[in-house]
Every structure is written in C-alpha cells, then in structure tokens.
Amino acid sequence: FPTRRSSDLVNALAALAREIEERQGPRRAEILLRSVGVRMSRELLSPLPSLRDEFEPAINRALSILDWGWVAVLDRLDTIVFEHRTPWPFEKRLDQLPFVLEGFYSDTLHRLAGNEAMQVRLTGKRGGALVFKWVPADAPERGARSHAPSVVVPEAPPTTSSSEVPRESKPVA
C-alpha cells in the first residue's frame, strides 16, 4: 500500500494543477505536471543504467521510492511501451498523474536515446495498467479533458467511459 507521504504528494500536485488550470488553463497545468515528471526522472534516475536489462529495474526502484506503482517496459516492433500499474489512491487522479508519468518516461528515454523528436504519451489502459508509448513529438496532443473526471478538478462529463482513454494514432515507423 502507498505511504501517506506519497498520497500527500499526489494531492499536493493535484491542488497545484487545479490552481494553474483555473487561472491559466488546462494546457499550463499539463506543462507543469510533465515538468515535475522530468524533474523526478533527473532526481531519481541519475545516473541512468547503461544496459537495457538494468533499465526497467532502475525505473521501478525510482517509482518505489514514491510508492507510485511499478512498470513493465516492453520493446515492440515500432515503439517502446510502458505498462504502468498505479496504487489505488492514484485511480482518482487519472486526469493528472499520467502527465507526470509522461514527463518522467519521456525524459528518461530522451537521456538514454538522445532523441528529442520523440515523447512518451498515454495511449490507453490494458488490464488495469496505464499504457504509455514512445511516439513522435509531432503526434497530436491529448487534452486534459480526455481523461476520467477528477475528484480534485471538476470537469464536464467525458465523452468516453471513465475506464477508457481515447487512443492516439499509431506512430509511423
């Protein structure tokens, strides 16, 4: 189970994102949350492992420090997939937590691959896991309203069910 400290961190990020969203719009909140993820990557994953076999365990050690779940990193023909399992308190923050994880995973791969033309984005859910993919940076952005409604940030009802996230177009190899 996640510690009280990790739940407090998520609630603090959610409150901060809500303030920014209300005052400056949802895009600014997304930028902030991704920036937090980048900072987390640099603070928790430095130095990066040099071997592929050490990559996934290093990420999971970093996530375990925060009690933020665990991830399976999967190599696919045309991309890298992150299947992230979140602890129960984060299920109420699925409109915000993914932006932090996008920043975290994107920065990690940018530092490993040196490819700024790619980014990690949430593409859906599978078997209870959030699915993130390494996609071209010019792929269409998903907006904050693509996620399930938040307990912290009230939104208009989404057009999809709370367990679905609209899928982005598949990257071209």
Side-chain angles (χ1 to χ4, degrees), residues 45-97:
L45 283 172
S46 291
L48 285 173
S50 57
L51 301 175
R52 167 61 179 95
D53 292 345
E54 297 172 359
F55 178 61
E56 183 178 313
I59 291 175
N60 281 316
R61 279 191 299 278
L63 292 171
S64 73
I65 290 169
L66 301 170
D67 291 325
W68 274 31
W70 59 273
V71 69
V73 181
L74 311 168
D75 287 319
R76 297 293 185 233
L77 293 176
D78 60 347
T79 191
I80 296 172
V81 174
F82 295 85
E83 289 189 359
H84 185 97
R85 306 253 176 207
T86 60
W88 62 268
F90 303 111
E91 289 296 320
K92 294 180 180 177
R93 305 281 187 249
L94 291 183
D95 62 332
Q96 297 163 339
L97 179 63

Side-chain angles (χ1 to χ4, degrees), residues 145 147 149 154-159:
R145 301 203 185 279
H147 297 289
E155 296 183 7
T159 57

Side-chain angles (χ1 to χ4, degrees), residues 2 6-7 10-11 14 67-70 83-98 101 122 124-132 147-153 161-165:
S6 68
S7 294
V10 168
N11 289 331
D67 291 325
W68 274 31
W70 59 273
E83 289 189 359
H84 185 97
R85 306 253 176 207
T86 60
W88 62 268
F90 303 111
E91 289 296 320
K92 294 180 180 177
R93 305 281 187 249
L94 291 183
D95 62 332
Q96 297 163 339
L97 179 63
L101 294 171
L122 179 70
K125 285 181 80 171
R126 177 178 30 227
L130 299 175
V131 178
F132 297 86
H147 297 289
S150 169
V151 171
V152 173
V153 182
S161 74
S162 63
S163 64
E164 295 176 325
V165 176

Side-chain angles (χ1 to χ4, degrees), residues 31-59:
I31 291 168
L32 168 76
L33 293 170
R34 285 191 184 115
S35 295
V36 167
V38 167
R39 173 94 36 164
M40 287 170 45
S41 169
R42 293 182 183 181
E43 299 279 330
L44 299 172
L45 283 172
S46 291
L48 285 173
S50 57
L51 301 175
R52 167 61 179 95
D53 292 345
E54 297 172 359
F55 178 61
E56 183 178 313
I59 291 175

